[in-house]
Amino acid sequence: MTFAMTSEVDDAHPSHAKKAELTSAYSAALHIGESCLADGPVGRVGLEVEAHCFDLADPMRRPEWEELKDAIAGVPPLPGGSAITVEPGGAVELSGPPMDEPVAAIAAMTADRAVLRSAFAQAGLGLVLLGADPLRPAKRVNPGDRYKAMEEFFIASDTGDPGAAMMTSTASIQVNLDAGPRDGWAARVRLAHALGPTMIAIAANSPLLAGQFTGWASTRQLVWSRLDSARCGPILSVNGDDPASEWARYAMKAPVMLVHPTPEMDAVPITDWVPFADWADGRVLLGGRRPTQDDLDYHLTTLFPPVRPRRWLEIRYLDSLPDAVWPAVVFTLVTLLDDPAAADIAAEATEAVATAWDRAAQIGLGDRRLHEAAILCVRTAAERAPAELEESMLQLVRSVEKGRCPADDFSDRAVKYGIDTAIAQMAQGEM
């Protein structure tokens, strides 16, 4: 089994190679439950890092699609093997191949980011690692038909503003991990969720959006919380004893967002609330037909929970982070999930704050219980960190112990210099 790295709102089309229509929601749910997690050992790590792209001469201007394509065309081969994609608002994403352990994945991504950053600088563009665009209003520049249809879907569902902000003004670091042995799936997926609030508090890095302080340390999480919880909320119920079945139920209840009537046609938004189960059972026909297996697989790419099963686990709740600390944050998260002794410590440390998603996003480490959990988690990881990550881990531990997250550092910079100057400095590599 291999990871297949995709962007957060992947622009793939269903192949329609499998023409047979699904016979029922039950059969569709069975397929999801049987295929969403892969039995095997843990250890491999894949990383995806998104960065906002700014014009070095005019940070308020959002680079256009052709400029971004030209800049990417000028990037030499990346030593770590990452793929380059462009998000709807022009954020540039590196999606790295899976590596056998976290240090290798971090090293490969660090090398690829250095090459990408240099090539973009030569094109007059800078890449800034923040969870939300602090300066520019939302605007789509990627002309992909999927993104246009998504805009229409969000507008029709009365979430046009947060939908536009999610698509064009947020950025993350995604960590992809093996699902692990079957008999450990429930505990592993529960822990991946339970770690969410604590890791959000540690990694919050988006205090501003479109030129305004929002009052949230992670405005990225605020934006996502304003979208449909049936599509973007956590997948687990109270006990989380069977994550595969819970993901199947989640997917069947989630409304269909987009449909490709034929392989040649662009994506069409579904502006009525149609749970996929209703389409699969034939209660509603979309495009004049019931769904195929390809439609089901495509539907799953339009669901954005904070932890998403894709045979492996996509951990999707981290803001995009500065180069100085993201390696330590990634290593911390991987260690707390993959190291059995560290996982036991993390499960106990985060139990009291396992559902404090909004509180973590709003006040970060200002919450006493989240702060205590965060200190224990980063210290546990630091004890296991190799020499290559010592500097990054020390900086992360010091910040967490002081109750500071990256949002605090950026807020200080924005207040001192002004938002546009702060962004210009960061885009030019000044930290």
Side-chain angles (χ1 to χ4, degrees):
M1 185 271 291
T2 58
F3 293 148
M5 302 305 178
T6 58
S7 70
E8 192 162 47
V9 282
D10 179 39
D11 198 20
H13 286 215
S15 69
H16 289 261
K18 303 167 187 171
K19 298 294 185 181
E21 293 182 347
L22 297 173
T23 57
S24 68
Y26 177 74
S27 64
L30 281 180
H31 169 75
I32 295 172
E34 291 169 355
S35 63
C36 67
L37 296 172
D39 186 16
V42 302
R44 291 176 306 160
V45 180
L47 300 179
E48 302 180 34
V49 177
E50 295 173 345
H52 300 285
C53 186
F54 288 89
D55 182 338
L56 292 176
D58 181 8
M60 275 298 298
R61 189 184 75 86
R62 194 181 290 267
E64 298 294 336
W65 178 242
E66 292 301 323
E67 294 177 80
L68 294 167
K69 289 202 302 182
D70 289 344
I72 291 172
V75 178
L78 297 179
S82 293
I84 306 172
T85 55
V86 179
E87 295 298 307
V92 179
E93 179 181 65
L94 287 177
S95 299
M99 298 290 183
D100 288 337
E101 43 88 22
V103 176
I106 290 167
M109 181 57 68
T110 299
D112 287 353
R113 272 197 40 76
V115 173
L116 183 73
R117 189 168 57 244
S118 176
F120 267 58
Q122 292 178 26
L125 303 175
L127 299 172
V128 175
L129 296 169
L130 284 166
D133 188 329
L135 193 58
R136 302 168 300 191
K139 178 186 175 183
R140 180 171 62 88
V141 298
N142 188 323
D145 69 280
R146 171 173 165 122
Y147 303 142
K148 180 178 184 296
M150 287 178 69
E151 281 182 336
E152 295 175 13
F153 173 88
F154 287 127
I155 291 170
S157 60
D158 294 325
T159 55
D161 288 344
M166 179 276 283
M167 292 174 63
T168 71
S169 300
T170 63
S172 70
I173 291 180
Q174 182 171 299
V175 182
N176 301 311
L177 301 176
D178 288 305
R182 182 182 298 272
D183 61 4
W185 284 350
R188 185 166 173 77
V189 176
R190 274 200 304 269
L191 180 56
H193 282 79
L195 279 167
T198 298
M199 293 304 303
I200 287 170
I202 291 170
N205 190 35
S206 47
L208 294 99
L209 181 68
Q212 300 292 326
F213 281 96
T214 64
W216 288 61
S218 177
T219 301
R220 176 180 176 272
Q221 292 294 326
L222 171 63
V223 168
W224 282 90
S225 73
R226 289 176 172 171
L227 296 172
D228 174 19
S229 62
R231 167 167 272 103
C232 302
I235 67 173
L236 290 187
S237 62
V238 176
N239 56 38
D241 288 337
D242 187 355
S245 294
E246 297 208 31
W247 174 233
R249 284 192 290 271
Y250 183 103
M252 289 297 100
K253 292 179 181 178
V256 179
M257 174 184 266
L258 311 172
V259 170
H260 284 267
T262 71
E264 296 77 22
M265 294 182 66
D266 289 347
V268 175
I270 303 304
T271 55
D272 294 323
W273 185 280
V274 179
F276 193 90
D278 287 359
W279 190 19
D281 277 334
R283 287 190 287 270
V284 178
L285 299 181
L286 301 177
R289 60 179 176 81
R290 289 168 74 150
T292 66
Q293 182 65 62
D294 290 314
D295 291 311
L296 174 58
D297 294 340
Y298 188 69
H299 171 65
L300 297 179
T301 73
T302 70
L303 308 181
F304 311 115
V307 179
R308 183 165 67 174
R310 295 286 299 274
R311 294 186 61 79
W312 60 94
L313 296 179
E314 292 180 348
I315 313 297
R316 307 166 49 83
Y317 44 62
L318 298 176
D319 281 7
S320 190
L321 291 162
D323 283 314
V325 296
W326 73 253
V329 171
V330 166
F331 182 81
T332 296
L333 179 58
V334 175
T335 299
L336 297 178
L337 283 164
D338 282 4
D339 181 293
D344 288 342
I345 294 170
E348 183 175 354
T350 59
E351 183 177 7
V353 291
T355 60
W357 297 89
D358 286 349
R359 188 162 181 79
Q362 185 168 20
I363 66 174
L365 297 175
D367 178 272
R368 176 184 58 82
R369 295 188 303 171
L370 283 165
H371 190 207
E372 291 173 352
I375 289 174
L376 184 53
C377 285
V378 297
R379 285 177 177 172
T380 298
E383 292 170 357
R384 294 159 170 80
E388 302 96 305
L389 297 179
E390 181 178 2
E391 184 176 350
S392 184
M393 284 300 314
L394 284 174
Q395 180 167 332
L396 180 64
V397 170
R398 284 196 298 265
S399 294
V400 170
E401 288 178 344
K402 293 177 181 177
R404 290 180 64 85
C405 61
D408 297 313
D409 297 331
F410 179 69
S411 294
D412 291 348
R413 181 190 285 262
V415 169
K416 182 176 181 179
Y417 298 108
I419 303 171
D420 54 349
T421 300
I423 287 297
Q425 292 172 346
M426 296 170 70
Q428 293 166 4
E430 300 174 22
M431 300 305 295

